[in-house]
Amino acid sequence: MGFHPTSNASTGHWEAIKVDTVEPHHGRVEAPCPSYGICNGCMMQDLDVERQNTYKKQQVEDLFRRIGKVKVLPPVRRVGETNPHNKYGYRNKVEFSFADEHGSNQVHMGFHKPGSRTQVLDVETCLLQDDTANQIWKHVRQGVQNRGIANKHMSRQKRYLEHVVIRRGNQKYLVNLVTGAEEPQLLQDIAHALYQTFPLHGVVNSIRKREREKVKTKVVTLAGVDYLEQDLGHLTLKCSANSFFQPNTEQAEKLYEEVERACSFSGRKEEVLLDLFCGTGSIGLYMARACKHVYGYEIVEQSVLDARRNATMNSINNAQFFQGDLAKIAGDIGKTIDTPDIVIVDPNRPGLDGSLVEWIARSKVPRVVYVSCNPATQARDLQRMMEIEPRYGIDSVAMVDMAPHTPHIETVASLSLR
C-alpha cells in the first residue's frame, strides 16, 4: 500500500493520503458497497470486523497514553461484540443531503463527498441502514424529483429541501424532511404516500430558520406522530424527531450495561447520580433503578421534555431533568441538587468545557463515568481532572463497537478518588 505524506499545520502532525495498493493487507475483505472509496462513510469495510476492533483498541490505548498521559492504563476491554449477522443494517438513523450540480439543473441526493460541505455523492442505497429504510429513501428521492421539490430554491444560494433523516424505532420509522422555509403543504402528498406505503411512526417537516445568529427549528407533523418509540432493556423510550439517541440500538443496551458496571453501585439504592448531557434521559433512567435519585442536565429543550416524558412513561419517580448550558452553569449545578456520589458525562465530540472539568474535579465527586464517541477528547479531559485533583485515578476503560466499518469508537472510562 503506497502513501503520500502531507503536513497539517492546524494539528502539527503528519498525515497520509493513500495513493495505491501495492499488496493487499492482512485481514482484507471485499467491500460490498458500490460507493466504497468515494463515500465518506464506511472507510473500514474492506477490513474484517475482528481486525477493525483490534485497530480501534490500539487507537484507544495510544490516545490514553499519549494525550491522557496515563502511565498505568487498565486493560482496555471490548464489550458487546458485534453480532456477525448484524454487521450491516445496524444504524437506526441515517441523514441524506442535497446539492446542486454546478452549471446545471441536476440535483445530487445522498452523502457529502469527503472534505466537502457543498458537494454530494448520489446514493440510492446505504448498507448501514436496513432494507425498509432504503426503500423509504428511494421513495423520497423519486417523490421530490417528480414534484420539483428537489430543485426548489428560496434564493440563488439557498435551497428549500436541505436534508432527509430516516430513523428506526421498534421496527417502525420516522421520516424527517428538513427544509429552510415554512411551506409544509409542498410535502403533504409525499408524506401521505409514505405513511400509506411503509410502517411509519410518522412523517414530519423540520423547518430551520436563522434568527439573530441562531438557528431555530419548528416541527410540523405531516402524518402520524412526531416521535418514535424504542425499547431499550427494561425501558421504553420516546424520542422526538430532532432529539439524540444512540444510532446502534443493539449495541446501545450493551453500552448502558457497561456504564452501569462502571458506576459500581452499592446495591442499596443510596447513591445520588448526576447525568450531564443527558439527552432524552436514556442513561440516567437506565440507572435509576440502582439509585437514590437521578438529576439530569441537557441544553436542548425538546430533549429535556422527552426525558421528563420518558420518566413518567416508565413510572420512574426518582429522576429529575433540567435544561441548561453546562459550559455556563457548571458552578451553579451543586447549588440546586443533592451532592452527587457519581457523575456521568456523555458529551459530543469536542468533549467537556474547561469550566465543567474544573467543577467536577474540585467537587471531588467520588466516581466519574465518562462516555465518549471521541476518545481523544475523553483522554484530554480525564487528564485535566487528574491534574486538578491528583487523587483521581482511572479504574477501567472499555470500548463498544457502535459503528462497525467506520473509524468511530464509543468508550466508557471510570475515574475514582483514591
PDB file of all heavy atoms in Angstrom, residues 191-222:
ATOM      1  N   ALA A 191     -45.652  12.880   2.105  1.00  0.00           N
ATOM      2  CA  ALA A 191     -45.844  12.353   3.457  1.00  0.00           C
ATOM      3  C   ALA A 191     -46.988  11.346   3.496  1.00  0.00           C
ATOM      4  O   ALA A 191     -46.865  10.269   4.112  1.00  0.00           O
ATOM      5  CB  ALA A 191     -46.106  13.496   4.436  1.00  0.00           C
ATOM      6  N   HIS A 192     -48.092  11.676   2.842  1.00  0.00           N
ATOM      7  CA  HIS A 192     -49.252  10.785   2.842  1.00  0.00           C
ATOM      8  C   HIS A 192     -48.910   9.466   2.141  1.00  0.00           C
ATOM      9  O   HIS A 192     -49.257   8.377   2.641  1.00  0.00           O
ATOM     10  CB  HIS A 192     -50.425  11.459   2.123  1.00  0.00           C
ATOM     11  CG  HIS A 192     -51.659  10.611   2.054  1.00  0.00           C
ATOM     12  ND1 HIS A 192     -52.481  10.383   3.140  1.00  0.00           N
ATOM     13  CD2 HIS A 192     -52.199   9.907   1.010  1.00  0.00           C
ATOM     14  CE1 HIS A 192     -53.466   9.584   2.778  1.00  0.00           C
ATOM     15  NE2 HIS A 192     -53.331   9.281   1.492  1.00  0.00           N
ATOM     16  N   ALA A 193     -48.199   9.548   1.012  1.00  0.00           N
ATOM     17  CA  ALA A 193     -47.826   8.335   0.275  1.00  0.00           C
ATOM     18  C   ALA A 193     -46.878   7.460   1.104  1.00  0.00           C
ATOM     19  O   ALA A 193     -47.020   6.227   1.122  1.00  0.00           O
ATOM     20  CB  ALA A 193     -47.175   8.719  -1.049  1.00  0.00           C
ATOM     21  N   LEU A 194     -45.930   8.083   1.782  1.00  0.00           N
ATOM     22  CA  LEU A 194     -45.006   7.326   2.637  1.00  0.00           C
ATOM     23  C   LEU A 194     -45.758   6.622   3.762  1.00  0.00           C
ATOM     24  O   LEU A 194     -45.523   5.442   4.047  1.00  0.00           O
ATOM     25  CB  LEU A 194     -43.955   8.271   3.235  1.00  0.00           C
ATOM     26  CG  LEU A 194     -42.851   8.777   2.310  1.00  0.00           C
ATOM     27  CD1 LEU A 194     -42.066   9.888   2.997  1.00  0.00           C
ATOM     28  CD2 LEU A 194     -41.905   7.641   1.919  1.00  0.00           C
ATOM     29  N   TYR A 195     -46.670   7.347   4.383  1.00  0.00           N
ATOM     30  CA  TYR A 195     -47.396   6.809   5.539  1.00  0.00           C
ATOM     31  C   TYR A 195     -48.306   5.654   5.130  1.00  0.00           C
ATOM     32  O   TYR A 195     -48.522   4.714   5.913  1.00  0.00           O
ATOM     33  CB  TYR A 195     -48.212   7.929   6.192  1.00  0.00           C
ATOM     34  CG  TYR A 195     -48.682   7.605   7.593  1.00  0.00           C
ATOM     35  CD1 TYR A 195     -47.773   7.542   8.651  1.00  0.00           C
ATOM     36  CD2 TYR A 195     -50.027   7.359   7.855  1.00  0.00           C
ATOM     37  CE1 TYR A 195     -48.193   7.243   9.932  1.00  0.00           C
ATOM     38  CE2 TYR A 195     -50.463   7.064   9.141  1.00  0.00           C
ATOM     39  CZ  TYR A 195     -49.537   7.010  10.172  1.00  0.00           C
ATOM     40  OH  TYR A 195     -49.958   6.704  11.450  1.00  0.00           O
ATOM     41  N   GLN A 196     -48.818   5.710   3.909  1.00  0.00           N
ATOM     42  CA  GLN A 196     -49.676   4.644   3.424  1.00  0.00           C
ATOM     43  C   GLN A 196     -48.893   3.421   2.951  1.00  0.00           C
ATOM     44  O   GLN A 196     -49.421   2.312   2.905  1.00  0.00           O
ATOM     45  CB  GLN A 196     -50.546   5.165   2.265  1.00  0.00           C
ATOM     46  CG  GLN A 196     -51.545   6.233   2.660  1.00  0.00           C
ATOM     47  CD  GLN A 196     -52.597   5.711   3.635  1.00  0.00           C
ATOM     48  OE1 GLN A 196     -53.103   4.601   3.484  1.00  0.00           O
ATOM     49  NE2 GLN A 196     -52.922   6.516   4.639  1.00  0.00           N
ATOM     50  N   THR A 197     -47.614   3.628   2.619  1.00  0.00           N
ATOM     51  CA  THR A 197     -46.830   2.563   1.983  1.00  0.00           C
ATOM     52  C   THR A 197     -45.936   1.809   2.965  1.00  0.00           C
ATOM     53  O   THR A 197     -45.735   0.596   2.811  1.00  0.00           O
ATOM     54  CB  THR A 197     -45.956   3.156   0.855  1.00  0.00           C
ATOM     55  OG1 THR A 197     -46.783   3.910  -0.037  1.00  0.00           O
ATOM     56  CG2 THR A 197     -45.227   2.071   0.088  1.00  0.00           C
ATOM     57  N   PHE A 198     -45.414   2.507   3.983  1.00  0.00           N
ATOM     58  CA  PHE A 198     -44.400   1.913   4.855  1.00  0.00           C
ATOM     59  C   PHE A 198     -44.863   1.905   6.315  1.00  0.00           C
ATOM     60  O   PHE A 198     -45.751   2.685   6.698  1.00  0.00           O
ATOM     61  CB  PHE A 198     -43.087   2.704   4.740  1.00  0.00           C
ATOM     62  CG  PHE A 198     -42.492   2.688   3.363  1.00  0.00           C
ATOM     63  CD1 PHE A 198     -42.656   3.775   2.512  1.00  0.00           C
ATOM     64  CD2 PHE A 198     -41.777   1.589   2.910  1.00  0.00           C
ATOM     65  CE1 PHE A 198     -42.106   3.772   1.235  1.00  0.00           C
ATOM     66  CE2 PHE A 198     -41.230   1.570   1.641  1.00  0.00           C
ATOM     67  CZ  PHE A 198     -41.396   2.657   0.795  1.00  0.00           C
ATOM     68  N   PRO A 199     -44.266   1.040   7.159  1.00  0.00           N
ATOM     69  CA  PRO A 199     -44.606   1.017   8.584  1.00  0.00           C
ATOM     70  C   PRO A 199     -43.951   2.193   9.315  1.00  0.00           C
ATOM     71  O   PRO A 199     -42.809   2.100   9.777  1.00  0.00           O
ATOM     72  CB  PRO A 199     -44.030  -0.330   9.059  1.00  0.00           C
ATOM     73  CG  PRO A 199     -42.880  -0.594   8.134  1.00  0.00           C
ATOM     74  CD  PRO A 199     -43.285  -0.018   6.806  1.00  0.00           C
ATOM     75  N   LEU A 200     -44.667   3.289   9.409  1.00  0.00           N
ATOM     76  CA  LEU A 200     -44.099   4.525   9.954  1.00  0.00           C
ATOM     77  C   LEU A 200     -44.734   4.913  11.284  1.00  0.00           C
ATOM     78  O   LEU A 200     -45.932   4.719  11.487  1.00  0.00           O
ATOM     79  CB  LEU A 200     -44.286   5.687   8.979  1.00  0.00           C
ATOM     80  CG  LEU A 200     -43.690   5.573   7.574  1.00  0.00           C
ATOM     81  CD1 LEU A 200     -43.871   6.892   6.835  1.00  0.00           C
ATOM     82  CD2 LEU A 200     -42.224   5.181   7.628  1.00  0.00           C
ATOM     83  N   HIS A 201     -43.897   5.493  12.162  1.00  0.00           N
ATOM     84  CA  HIS A 201     -44.439   6.243  13.289  1.00  0.00           C
ATOM     85  C   HIS A 201     -45.076   7.521  12.757  1.00  0.00           C
ATOM     86  O   HIS A 201     -46.162   7.913  13.189  1.00  0.00           O
ATOM     87  CB  HIS A 201     -43.319   6.614  14.280  1.00  0.00           C
ATOM     88  CG  HIS A 201     -42.722   5.455  15.008  1.00  0.00           C
ATOM     89  ND1 HIS A 201     -43.364   4.817  16.042  1.00  0.00           N
ATOM     90  CD2 HIS A 201     -41.529   4.828  14.864  1.00  0.00           C
ATOM     91  CE1 HIS A 201     -42.589   3.849  16.503  1.00  0.00           C
ATOM     92  NE2 HIS A 201     -41.476   3.838  15.805  1.00  0.00           N
ATOM     93  N   GLY A 202     -44.355   8.184  11.832  1.00  0.00           N
ATOM     94  CA  GLY A 202     -44.882   9.419  11.278  1.00  0.00           C
ATOM     95  C   GLY A 202     -43.926  10.054  10.282  1.00  0.00           C
ATOM     96  O   GLY A 202     -42.816   9.567  10.036  1.00  0.00           O
ATOM     97  N   VAL A 203     -44.377  11.161   9.707  1.00  0.00           N
ATOM     98  CA  VAL A 203     -43.568  11.986   8.811  1.00  0.00           C
ATOM     99  C   VAL A 203     -43.660  13.423   9.309  1.00  0.00           C
ATOM    100  O   VAL A 203     -44.772  13.925   9.556  1.00  0.00           O
ATOM    101  CB  VAL A 203     -44.064  11.916   7.351  1.00  0.00           C
ATOM    102  CG1 VAL A 203     -43.149  12.741   6.436  1.00  0.00           C
ATOM    103  CG2 VAL A 203     -44.152  10.475   6.871  1.00  0.00           C
ATOM    104  N   VAL A 204     -42.516  14.090   9.480  1.00  0.00           N
ATOM    105  CA  VAL A 204     -42.516  15.462   9.976  1.00  0.00           C
ATOM    106  C   VAL A 204     -41.703  16.356   9.056  1.00  0.00           C
ATOM    107  O   VAL A 204     -40.857  15.884   8.287  1.00  0.00           O
ATOM    108  CB  VAL A 204     -41.948  15.546  11.419  1.00  0.00           C
ATOM    109  CG1 VAL A 204     -42.763  14.693  12.377  1.00  0.00           C
ATOM    110  CG2 VAL A 204     -40.479  15.145  11.455  1.00  0.00           C
ATOM    111  N   ASN A 205     -41.968  17.632   9.154  1.00  0.00           N
ATOM    112  CA  ASN A 205     -41.206  18.657   8.450  1.00  0.00           C
ATOM    113  C   ASN A 205     -40.529  19.540   9.496  1.00  0.00           C
ATOM    114  O   ASN A 205     -41.193  20.247  10.249  1.00  0.00           O
ATOM    115  CB  ASN A 205     -42.133  19.489   7.568  1.00  0.00           C
ATOM    116  CG  ASN A 205     -41.468  20.686   6.907  1.00  0.00           C
ATOM    117  OD1 ASN A 205     -42.127  21.652   6.575  1.00  0.00           O
ATOM    118  ND2 ASN A 205     -40.156  20.635   6.697  1.00  0.00           N
ATOM    119  N   SER A 206     -39.199  19.464   9.561  1.00  0.00           N
ATOM    120  CA  SER A 206     -38.433  20.344  10.449  1.00  0.00           C
ATOM    121  C   SER A 206     -38.026  21.578   9.663  1.00  0.00           C
ATOM    122  O   SER A 206     -37.292  21.478   8.665  1.00  0.00           O
ATOM    123  CB  SER A 206     -37.193  19.638  10.994  1.00  0.00           C
ATOM    124  OG  SER A 206     -37.543  18.656  11.932  1.00  0.00           O
ATOM    125  N   ILE A 207     -38.497  22.739  10.109  1.00  0.00           N
ATOM    126  CA  ILE A 207     -38.250  23.998   9.402  1.00  0.00           C
ATOM    127  C   ILE A 207     -37.181  24.776  10.153  1.00  0.00           C
ATOM    128  O   ILE A 207     -37.366  25.167  11.306  1.00  0.00           O
ATOM    129  CB  ILE A 207     -39.546  24.819   9.306  1.00  0.00           C
ATOM    130  CG1 ILE A 207     -40.637  23.982   8.608  1.00  0.00           C
ATOM    131  CG2 ILE A 207     -39.304  26.123   8.571  1.00  0.00           C
ATOM    132  CD1 ILE A 207     -42.029  24.289   9.074  1.00  0.00           C
ATOM    133  N   ARG A 208     -36.049  24.964   9.494  1.00  0.00           N
ATOM    134  CA  ARG A 208     -34.902  25.633  10.124  1.00  0.00           C
ATOM    135  C   ARG A 208     -34.860  27.093   9.684  1.00  0.00           C
ATOM    136  O   ARG A 208     -34.778  27.387   8.492  1.00  0.00           O
ATOM    137  CB  ARG A 208     -33.599  24.941   9.747  1.00  0.00           C
ATOM    138  CG  ARG A 208     -33.436  23.562  10.381  1.00  0.00           C
ATOM    139  CD  ARG A 208     -32.374  22.733   9.676  1.00  0.00           C
ATOM    140  NE  ARG A 208     -31.173  23.480   9.385  1.00  0.00           N
ATOM    141  CZ  ARG A 208     -30.130  23.594  10.223  1.00  0.00           C
ATOM    142  NH1 ARG A 208     -30.189  23.018  11.414  1.00  0.00           N
ATOM    143  NH2 ARG A 208     -29.051  24.259   9.872  1.00  0.00           N
ATOM    144  N   LYS A 209     -34.903  27.992  10.664  1.00  0.00           N
ATOM    145  CA  LYS A 209     -34.847  29.424  10.379  1.00  0.00           C
ATOM    146  C   LYS A 209     -33.764  30.071  11.231  1.00  0.00           C
ATOM    147  O   LYS A 209     -33.645  29.779  12.417  1.00  0.00           O
ATOM    148  CB  LYS A 209     -36.194  30.090  10.680  1.00  0.00           C
ATOM    149  CG  LYS A 209     -37.318  29.667   9.743  1.00  0.00           C
ATOM    150  CD  LYS A 209     -38.596  30.429  10.065  1.00  0.00           C
ATOM    151  CE  LYS A 209     -39.722  30.062   9.114  1.00  0.00           C
ATOM    152  NZ  LYS A 209     -40.967  30.804   9.431  1.00  0.00           N
ATOM    153  N   ARG A 210     -32.992  30.952  10.595  1.00  0.00           N
ATOM    154  CA  ARG A 210     -31.943  31.667  11.321  1.00  0.00           C
ATOM    155  C   ARG A 210     -32.507  32.975  11.869  1.00  0.00           C
ATOM    156  O   ARG A 210     -33.035  33.799  11.127  1.00  0.00           O
ATOM    157  CB  ARG A 210     -30.747  31.944  10.413  1.00  0.00           C
ATOM    158  CG  ARG A 210     -29.594  32.666  11.108  1.00  0.00           C
ATOM    159  CD  ARG A 210     -28.362  32.695  10.236  1.00  0.00           C
ATOM    160  NE  ARG A 210     -27.806  31.365  10.046  1.00  0.00           N
ATOM    161  CZ  ARG A 210     -27.002  30.770  10.916  1.00  0.00           C
ATOM    162  NH1 ARG A 210     -26.672  31.378  12.052  1.00  0.00           N
ATOM    163  NH2 ARG A 210     -26.512  29.578  10.663  1.00  0.00           N
ATOM    164  N   GLU A 211     -32.402  33.146  13.186  1.00  0.00           N
ATOM    165  CA  GLU A 211     -32.870  34.352  13.850  1.00  0.00           C
ATOM    166  C   GLU A 211     -31.785  34.862  14.783  1.00  0.00           C
ATOM    167  O   GLU A 211     -31.427  34.193  15.753  1.00  0.00           O
ATOM    168  CB  GLU A 211     -34.152  34.066  14.650  1.00  0.00           C
ATOM    169  CG  GLU A 211     -35.333  33.627  13.793  1.00  0.00           C
ATOM    170  CD  GLU A 211     -36.568  33.348  14.620  1.00  0.00           C
ATOM    171  OE1 GLU A 211     -36.528  33.621  15.843  1.00  0.00           O
ATOM    172  OE2 GLU A 211     -37.566  32.850  14.062  1.00  0.00           O
ATOM    173  N   ARG A 212     -31.246  36.034  14.476  1.00  0.00           N
ATOM    174  CA  ARG A 212     -30.229  36.671  15.317  1.00  0.00           C
ATOM    175  C   ARG A 212     -29.062  35.726  15.608  1.00  0.00           C
ATOM    176  O   ARG A 212     -28.730  35.435  16.762  1.00  0.00           O
ATOM    177  CB  ARG A 212     -30.835  37.165  16.630  1.00  0.00           C
ATOM    178  CG  ARG A 212     -31.912  38.234  16.435  1.00  0.00           C
ATOM    179  CD  ARG A 212     -32.463  38.698  17.767  1.00  0.00           C
ATOM    180  NE  ARG A 212     -33.499  39.715  17.585  1.00  0.00           N
ATOM    181  CZ  ARG A 212     -34.159  40.288  18.596  1.00  0.00           C
ATOM    182  NH1 ARG A 212     -33.904  39.931  19.842  1.00  0.00           N
ATOM    183  NH2 ARG A 212     -35.078  41.200  18.346  1.00  0.00           N
ATOM    184  N   GLU A 213     -28.455  35.230  14.540  1.00  0.00           N
ATOM    185  CA  GLU A 213     -27.276  34.361  14.622  1.00  0.00           C
ATOM    186  C   GLU A 213     -27.566  32.993  15.222  1.00  0.00           C
ATOM    187  O   GLU A 213     -26.642  32.224  15.478  1.00  0.00           O
ATOM    188  CB  GLU A 213     -26.152  35.054  15.439  1.00  0.00           C
ATOM    189  CG  GLU A 213     -25.740  36.407  14.900  1.00  0.00           C
ATOM    190  CD  GLU A 213     -25.297  36.333  13.443  1.00  0.00           C
ATOM    191  OE1 GLU A 213     -24.586  35.391  13.077  1.00  0.00           O
ATOM    192  OE2 GLU A 213     -25.703  37.228  12.671  1.00  0.00           O
ATOM    193  N   LYS A 214     -28.828  32.660  15.460  1.00  0.00           N
ATOM    194  CA  LYS A 214     -29.183  31.350  15.979  1.00  0.00           C
ATOM    195  C   LYS A 214     -30.145  30.666  15.012  1.00  0.00           C
ATOM    196  O   LYS A 214     -30.978  31.313  14.386  1.00  0.00           O
ATOM    197  CB  LYS A 214     -29.822  31.452  17.364  1.00  0.00           C
ATOM    198  CG  LYS A 214     -28.857  31.871  18.463  1.00  0.00           C
ATOM    199  CD  LYS A 214     -29.554  31.832  19.827  1.00  0.00           C
ATOM    200  CE  LYS A 214     -28.590  32.214  20.942  1.00  0.00           C
ATOM    201  NZ  LYS A 214     -29.258  32.143  22.278  1.00  0.00           N
ATOM    202  N   VAL A 215     -30.011  29.356  14.913  1.00  0.00           N
ATOM    203  CA  VAL A 215     -30.922  28.586  14.068  1.00  0.00           C
ATOM    204  C   VAL A 215     -32.002  27.978  14.961  1.00  0.00           C
ATOM    205  O   VAL A 215     -31.709  27.242  15.898  1.00  0.00           O
ATOM    206  CB  VAL A 215     -30.179  27.464  13.310  1.00  0.00           C
ATOM    207  CG1 VAL A 215     -31.178  26.613  12.523  1.00  0.00           C
ATOM    208  CG2 VAL A 215     -29.135  28.059  12.374  1.00  0.00           C
ATOM    209  N   LYS A 216     -33.254  28.341  14.674  1.00  0.00           N
ATOM    210  CA  LYS A 216     -34.374  27.788  15.413  1.00  0.00           C
ATOM    211  C   LYS A 216     -35.135  26.809  14.526  1.00  0.00           C
ATOM    212  O   LYS A 216     -35.256  27.020  13.319  1.00  0.00           O
ATOM    213  CB  LYS A 216     -35.299  28.902  15.903  1.00  0.00           C
ATOM    214  CG  LYS A 216     -34.657  29.804  16.948  1.00  0.00           C
ATOM    215  CD  LYS A 216     -35.673  30.749  17.565  1.00  0.00           C
ATOM    216  CE  LYS A 216     -35.041  31.576  18.686  1.00  0.00           C
ATOM    217  NZ  LYS A 216     -36.031  32.475  19.337  1.00  0.00           N
ATOM    218  N   THR A 217     -35.633  25.749  15.136  1.00  0.00           N
ATOM    219  CA  THR A 217     -36.309  24.704  14.376  1.00  0.00           C
ATOM    220  C   THR A 217     -37.749  24.555  14.837  1.00  0.00           C
ATOM    221  O   THR A 217     -38.017  24.417  16.027  1.00  0.00           O
ATOM    222  CB  THR A 217     -35.580  23.353  14.540  1.00  0.00           C
ATOM    223  OG1 THR A 217     -34.221  23.490  14.111  1.00  0.00           O
ATOM    224  CG2 THR A 217     -36.261  22.277  13.711  1.00  0.00           C
ATOM    225  N   LYS A 218     -38.642  24.590  13.886  1.00  0.00           N
ATOM    226  CA  LYS A 218     -40.062  24.345  14.133  1.00  0.00           C
ATOM    227  C   LYS A 218     -40.434  23.022  13.475  1.00  0.00           C
ATOM    228  O   LYS A 218     -40.049  22.765  12.330  1.00  0.00           O
ATOM    229  CB  LYS A 218     -40.911  25.479  13.552  1.00  0.00           C
ATOM    230  CG  LYS A 218     -42.413  25.261  13.672  1.00  0.00           C
ATOM    231  CD  LYS A 218     -43.188  26.411  13.030  1.00  0.00           C
ATOM    232  CE  LYS A 218     -44.693  26.180  13.081  1.00  0.00           C
ATOM    233  NZ  LYS A 218     -45.441  27.299  12.447  1.00  0.00           N
ATOM    234  N   VAL A 219     -41.163  22.171  14.177  1.00  0.00           N
ATOM    235  CA  VAL A 219     -41.526  20.856  13.654  1.00  0.00           C
ATOM    236  C   VAL A 219     -43.020  20.824  13.363  1.00  0.00           C
ATOM    237  O   VAL A 219     -43.845  21.111  14.236  1.00  0.00           O
ATOM    238  CB  VAL A 219     -41.140  19.735  14.633  1.00  0.00           C
ATOM    239  CG1 VAL A 219     -41.584  18.376  14.096  1.00  0.00           C
ATOM    240  CG2 VAL A 219     -39.626  19.733  14.874  1.00  0.00           C
ATOM    241  N   VAL A 220     -43.370  20.472  12.129  1.00  0.00           N
ATOM    242  CA  VAL A 220     -44.762  20.313  11.705  1.00  0.00           C
ATOM    243  C   VAL A 220     -45.004  18.837  11.396  1.00  0.00           C
ATOM    244  O   VAL A 220     -44.250  18.234  10.622  1.00  0.00           O
ATOM    245  CB  VAL A 220     -45.073  21.171  10.464  1.00  0.00           C
ATOM    246  CG1 VAL A 220     -46.499  20.919   9.980  1.00  0.00           C
ATOM    247  CG2 VAL A 220     -44.870  22.655  10.770  1.00  0.00           C
ATOM    248  N   THR A 221     -46.019  18.251  12.012  1.00  0.00           N
ATOM    249  CA  THR A 221     -46.341  16.852  11.754  1.00  0.00           C
ATOM    250  C   THR A 221     -47.188  16.746  10.493  1.00  0.00           C
ATOM    251  O   THR A 221     -48.268  17.334  10.403  1.00  0.00           O
ATOM    252  CB  THR A 221     -47.098  16.235  12.945  1.00  0.00           C
ATOM    253  OG1 THR A 221     -46.304  16.379  14.129  1.00  0.00           O
ATOM    254  CG2 THR A 221     -47.378  14.758  12.713  1.00  0.00           C
ATOM    255  N   LEU A 222     -46.694  15.987   9.512  1.00  0.00           N
ATOM    256  CA  LEU A 222     -47.388  15.824   8.242  1.00  0.00           C
ATOM    257  C   LEU A 222     -48.252  14.567   8.215  1.00  0.00           C
ATOM    258  O   LEU A 222     -49.265  14.519   7.511  1.00  0.00           O
ATOM    259  CB  LEU A 222     -46.368  15.766   7.099  1.00  0.00           C
ATOM    260  CG  LEU A 222     -45.433  16.977   6.957  1.00  0.00           C
ATOM    261  CD1 LEU A 222     -44.387  16.711   5.890  1.00  0.00           C
ATOM    262  CD2 LEU A 222     -46.228  18.233   6.617  1.00  0.00           C
TER     263      LEU A 222
END
